[in-house]
Amino acid sequence: GVDGYRHREEVLKPLLVPWINSLYEEGRAPLLLEDGAPVHTARISVEYLEVSHIQKLPWPGHSPDVNAEEHAWPWIRRHITQDFLPSTCEDQCRFQWSYEWENLPQHLINKWIDGIPEVVRQIIKYGGDNCFHDG
């Protein structure tokens, strides 16, 4: 698994912060969007972003419904299972994921995006909770 230390050392330091800084250098004003995964809320990760002057967009802790890409992962996994035998190496796995990502229908992506405003309304209605899924 990934903990806050590993997230900072393998993602934030070498990849994310330099990329965001390059956007600042281009005159852009990026905001980082992270969900409430433990690695994103770990003190070591949060403090590193703060000292790196990376601005974060406030976001609910468990919010897959307001992130259209989260709908893509189960779709891709389901289609890999249907379209391929289990992968036997990393290259094969990467090919399968890339293939299904490229073949994800645009109308599905649009449907997921179009559903976000209603989910946001429900989150607001329930005071930031996602309990509207319970019943």
Side-chain angles (χ1 to χ4, degrees), residues 11 20 31 44 47 58-59 79 86 93 99 106-107 111 131:
V11 177
I20 288 180
L31 290 174
I44 193 168
E47 288 177 355
W59 206 249
H79 283 80
C93 182
Y99 176 86
Q106 185 64 48
H107 76 275
K111 176 183 168 191
C131 61

PDB file of all heavy atoms in Angstrom, residues 11 20 31 44 47 58-59 79 86 93 99 106-107 111 131:
ATOM      1  N   VAL A  11       5.482  10.570  -5.338  1.00  0.00           N
ATOM      2  CA  VAL A  11       4.532  11.293  -6.192  1.00  0.00           C
ATOM      3  C   VAL A  11       4.712  12.800  -6.062  1.00  0.00           C
ATOM      4  O   VAL A  11       4.967  13.487  -7.053  1.00  0.00           O
ATOM      5  CB  VAL A  11       3.071  10.891  -5.866  1.00  0.00           C
ATOM      6  CG1 VAL A  11       2.091  11.701  -6.702  1.00  0.00           C
ATOM      7  CG2 VAL A  11       2.855   9.404  -6.089  1.00  0.00           C
ATOM      8  N   ILE A  20       3.387  21.213 -11.117  1.00  0.00           N
ATOM      9  CA  ILE A  20       2.586  22.383 -10.750  1.00  0.00           C
ATOM     10  C   ILE A  20       3.451  23.639 -10.783  1.00  0.00           C
ATOM     11  O   ILE A  20       3.012  24.695 -11.258  1.00  0.00           O
ATOM     12  CB  ILE A  20       1.908  22.174  -9.380  1.00  0.00           C
ATOM     13  CG1 ILE A  20       0.778  21.143  -9.539  1.00  0.00           C
ATOM     14  CG2 ILE A  20       1.372  23.490  -8.825  1.00  0.00           C
ATOM     15  CD1 ILE A  20       0.014  20.820  -8.292  1.00  0.00           C
ATOM     16  N   LEU A  31      -4.843  24.739  -9.262  1.00  0.00           N
ATOM     17  CA  LEU A  31      -5.318  24.279  -7.958  1.00  0.00           C
ATOM     18  C   LEU A  31      -5.278  22.762  -7.983  1.00  0.00           C
ATOM     19  O   LEU A  31      -5.724  22.144  -8.947  1.00  0.00           O
ATOM     20  CB  LEU A  31      -6.756  24.730  -7.713  1.00  0.00           C
ATOM     21  CG  LEU A  31      -6.993  26.206  -7.471  1.00  0.00           C
ATOM     22  CD1 LEU A  31      -8.482  26.491  -7.396  1.00  0.00           C
ATOM     23  CD2 LEU A  31      -6.307  26.653  -6.203  1.00  0.00           C
ATOM     24  N   ILE A  44       2.055  14.358   6.662  1.00  0.00           N
ATOM     25  CA  ILE A  44       3.306  14.518   5.922  1.00  0.00           C
ATOM     26  C   ILE A  44       3.044  15.023   4.494  1.00  0.00           C
ATOM     27  O   ILE A  44       3.801  15.836   3.974  1.00  0.00           O
ATOM     28  CB  ILE A  44       4.122  13.198   5.935  1.00  0.00           C
ATOM     29  CG1 ILE A  44       5.542  13.430   5.455  1.00  0.00           C
ATOM     30  CG2 ILE A  44       3.423  12.113   5.125  1.00  0.00           C
ATOM     31  CD1 ILE A  44       6.462  12.247   5.710  1.00  0.00           C
ATOM     32  N   GLU A  47       1.493  18.817   4.831  1.00  0.00           N
ATOM     33  CA  GLU A  47       2.534  19.789   5.190  1.00  0.00           C
ATOM     34  C   GLU A  47       3.516  20.014   4.044  1.00  0.00           C
ATOM     35  O   GLU A  47       3.968  21.135   3.821  1.00  0.00           O
ATOM     36  CB  GLU A  47       3.263  19.349   6.462  1.00  0.00           C
ATOM     37  CG  GLU A  47       2.406  19.495   7.700  1.00  0.00           C
ATOM     38  CD  GLU A  47       3.087  19.006   8.966  1.00  0.00           C
ATOM     39  OE1 GLU A  47       4.213  18.459   8.900  1.00  0.00           O
ATOM     40  OE2 GLU A  47       2.471  19.177  10.045  1.00  0.00           O
ATOM     41  N   PRO A  58     -10.744  22.724  -1.955  1.00  0.00           N
ATOM     42  CA  PRO A  58     -11.455  21.925  -0.942  1.00  0.00           C
ATOM     43  C   PRO A  58     -12.383  20.907  -1.612  1.00  0.00           C
ATOM     44  O   PRO A  58     -13.051  21.232  -2.589  1.00  0.00           O
ATOM     45  CB  PRO A  58     -12.271  22.969  -0.172  1.00  0.00           C
ATOM     46  CG  PRO A  58     -11.687  24.281  -0.529  1.00  0.00           C
ATOM     47  CD  PRO A  58     -11.051  24.130  -1.880  1.00  0.00           C
ATOM     48  N   TRP A  59     -12.407  19.712  -1.078  1.00  0.00           N
ATOM     49  CA  TRP A  59     -13.179  18.642  -1.708  1.00  0.00           C
ATOM     50  C   TRP A  59     -13.671  17.668  -0.657  1.00  0.00           C
ATOM     51  O   TRP A  59     -12.939  17.385   0.294  1.00  0.00           O
ATOM     52  CB  TRP A  59     -12.286  17.914  -2.721  1.00  0.00           C
ATOM     53  CG  TRP A  59     -13.021  17.258  -3.821  1.00  0.00           C
ATOM     54  CD1 TRP A  59     -13.148  15.915  -4.028  1.00  0.00           C
ATOM     55  CD2 TRP A  59     -13.730  17.877  -4.886  1.00  0.00           C
ATOM     56  NE1 TRP A  59     -13.881  15.672  -5.151  1.00  0.00           N
ATOM     57  CE2 TRP A  59     -14.259  16.864  -5.708  1.00  0.00           C
ATOM     58  CE3 TRP A  59     -13.974  19.200  -5.222  1.00  0.00           C
ATOM     59  CZ2 TRP A  59     -15.014  17.121  -6.839  1.00  0.00           C
ATOM     60  CZ3 TRP A  59     -14.730  19.460  -6.356  1.00  0.00           C
ATOM     61  CH2 TRP A  59     -15.231  18.421  -7.142  1.00  0.00           C
ATOM     62  N   HIS A  79     -14.189  -4.232 -18.729  1.00  0.00           N
ATOM     63  CA  HIS A  79     -13.910  -4.525 -20.135  1.00  0.00           C
ATOM     64  C   HIS A  79     -12.596  -5.274 -20.335  1.00  0.00           C
ATOM     65  O   HIS A  79     -12.495  -6.083 -21.250  1.00  0.00           O
ATOM     66  CB  HIS A  79     -13.979  -3.235 -20.957  1.00  0.00           C
ATOM     67  CG  HIS A  79     -15.391  -2.828 -21.213  1.00  0.00           C
ATOM     68  ND1 HIS A  79     -16.148  -2.166 -20.266  1.00  0.00           N
ATOM     69  CD2 HIS A  79     -16.204  -3.049 -22.259  1.00  0.00           C
ATOM     70  CE1 HIS A  79     -17.363  -1.973 -20.739  1.00  0.00           C
ATOM     71  NE2 HIS A  79     -17.429  -2.499 -21.944  1.00  0.00           N
ATOM     72  N   PRO A  86      -6.145 -12.902 -18.443  1.00  0.00           N
ATOM     73  CA  PRO A  86      -5.360 -12.191 -17.433  1.00  0.00           C
ATOM     74  C   PRO A  86      -3.941 -11.894 -17.941  1.00  0.00           C
ATOM     75  O   PRO A  86      -3.313 -12.726 -18.597  1.00  0.00           O
ATOM     76  CB  PRO A  86      -5.328 -13.173 -16.258  1.00  0.00           C
ATOM     77  CG  PRO A  86      -6.562 -13.991 -16.427  1.00  0.00           C
ATOM     78  CD  PRO A  86      -6.738 -14.133 -17.919  1.00  0.00           C
ATOM     79  N   CYS A  93      -0.260  -5.751 -19.168  1.00  0.00           N
ATOM     80  CA  CYS A  93      -1.238  -5.048 -18.339  1.00  0.00           C
ATOM     81  C   CYS A  93      -1.385  -3.599 -18.812  1.00  0.00           C
ATOM     82  O   CYS A  93      -2.505  -3.097 -18.974  1.00  0.00           O
ATOM     83  CB  CYS A  93      -0.809  -5.106 -16.882  1.00  0.00           C
ATOM     84  SG  CYS A  93      -1.966  -4.323 -15.761  1.00  0.00           S
ATOM     85  N   TYR A  99      -5.560   0.232 -23.991  1.00  0.00           N
ATOM     86  CA  TYR A  99      -6.535  -0.130 -25.022  1.00  0.00           C
ATOM     87  C   TYR A  99      -7.950   0.226 -24.577  1.00  0.00           C
ATOM     88  O   TYR A  99      -8.713   0.851 -25.308  1.00  0.00           O
ATOM     89  CB  TYR A  99      -6.428  -1.624 -25.339  1.00  0.00           C
ATOM     90  CG  TYR A  99      -7.466  -2.089 -26.332  1.00  0.00           C
ATOM     91  CD1 TYR A  99      -7.226  -1.972 -27.695  1.00  0.00           C
ATOM     92  CD2 TYR A  99      -8.675  -2.626 -25.908  1.00  0.00           C
ATOM     93  CE1 TYR A  99      -8.183  -2.389 -28.621  1.00  0.00           C
ATOM     94  CE2 TYR A  99      -9.636  -3.034 -26.818  1.00  0.00           C
ATOM     95  CZ  TYR A  99      -9.380  -2.905 -28.171  1.00  0.00           C
ATOM     96  OH  TYR A  99     -10.344  -3.309 -29.079  1.00  0.00           O
ATOM     97  N   GLN A 106     -17.124   8.127 -25.652  1.00  0.00           N
ATOM     98  CA  GLN A 106     -17.285   9.513 -25.229  1.00  0.00           C
ATOM     99  C   GLN A 106     -18.659   9.772 -24.632  1.00  0.00           C
ATOM    100  O   GLN A 106     -18.793  10.534 -23.683  1.00  0.00           O
ATOM    101  CB  GLN A 106     -17.029  10.469 -26.401  1.00  0.00           C
ATOM    102  CG  GLN A 106     -17.052  11.929 -26.014  1.00  0.00           C
ATOM    103  CD  GLN A 106     -15.933  12.287 -25.049  1.00  0.00           C
ATOM    104  OE1 GLN A 106     -14.783  11.931 -25.263  1.00  0.00           O
ATOM    105  NE2 GLN A 106     -16.267  12.984 -23.962  1.00  0.00           N
ATOM    106  N   HIS A 107     -19.700   9.101 -25.151  1.00  0.00           N
ATOM    107  CA  HIS A 107     -21.040   9.346 -24.609  1.00  0.00           C
ATOM    108  C   HIS A 107     -21.138   8.926 -23.135  1.00  0.00           C
ATOM    109  O   HIS A 107     -21.875   9.525 -22.359  1.00  0.00           O
ATOM    110  CB  HIS A 107     -22.131   8.668 -25.461  1.00  0.00           C
ATOM    111  CG  HIS A 107     -22.226   7.182 -25.271  1.00  0.00           C
ATOM    112  ND1 HIS A 107     -21.427   6.292 -25.958  1.00  0.00           N
ATOM    113  CD2 HIS A 107     -23.022   6.447 -24.463  1.00  0.00           C
ATOM    114  CE1 HIS A 107     -21.727   5.058 -25.582  1.00  0.00           C
ATOM    115  NE2 HIS A 107     -22.687   5.117 -24.681  1.00  0.00           N
ATOM    116  N   LYS A 111     -22.002  11.326 -20.028  1.00  0.00           N
ATOM    117  CA  LYS A 111     -23.067  10.967 -19.080  1.00  0.00           C
ATOM    118  C   LYS A 111     -22.578  11.128 -17.642  1.00  0.00           C
ATOM    119  O   LYS A 111     -23.289  11.667 -16.790  1.00  0.00           O
ATOM    120  CB  LYS A 111     -23.514   9.523 -19.339  1.00  0.00           C
ATOM    121  CG  LYS A 111     -24.546   8.998 -18.363  1.00  0.00           C
ATOM    122  CD  LYS A 111     -24.858   7.538 -18.654  1.00  0.00           C
ATOM    123  CE  LYS A 111     -25.657   6.934 -17.517  1.00  0.00           C
ATOM    124  NZ  LYS A 111     -25.775   5.498 -17.615  1.00  0.00           N
ATOM    125  N   CYS A 131     -24.732  10.470   2.357  1.00  0.00           N
ATOM    126  CA  CYS A 131     -25.684   9.489   2.881  1.00  0.00           C
ATOM    127  C   CYS A 131     -26.895   9.305   1.960  1.00  0.00           C
ATOM    128  O   CYS A 131     -27.656   8.371   2.151  1.00  0.00           O
ATOM    129  CB  CYS A 131     -26.138   9.866   4.279  1.00  0.00           C
ATOM    130  SG  CYS A 131     -26.980  11.444   4.370  1.00  0.00           S
TER     131      CYS A 131
END
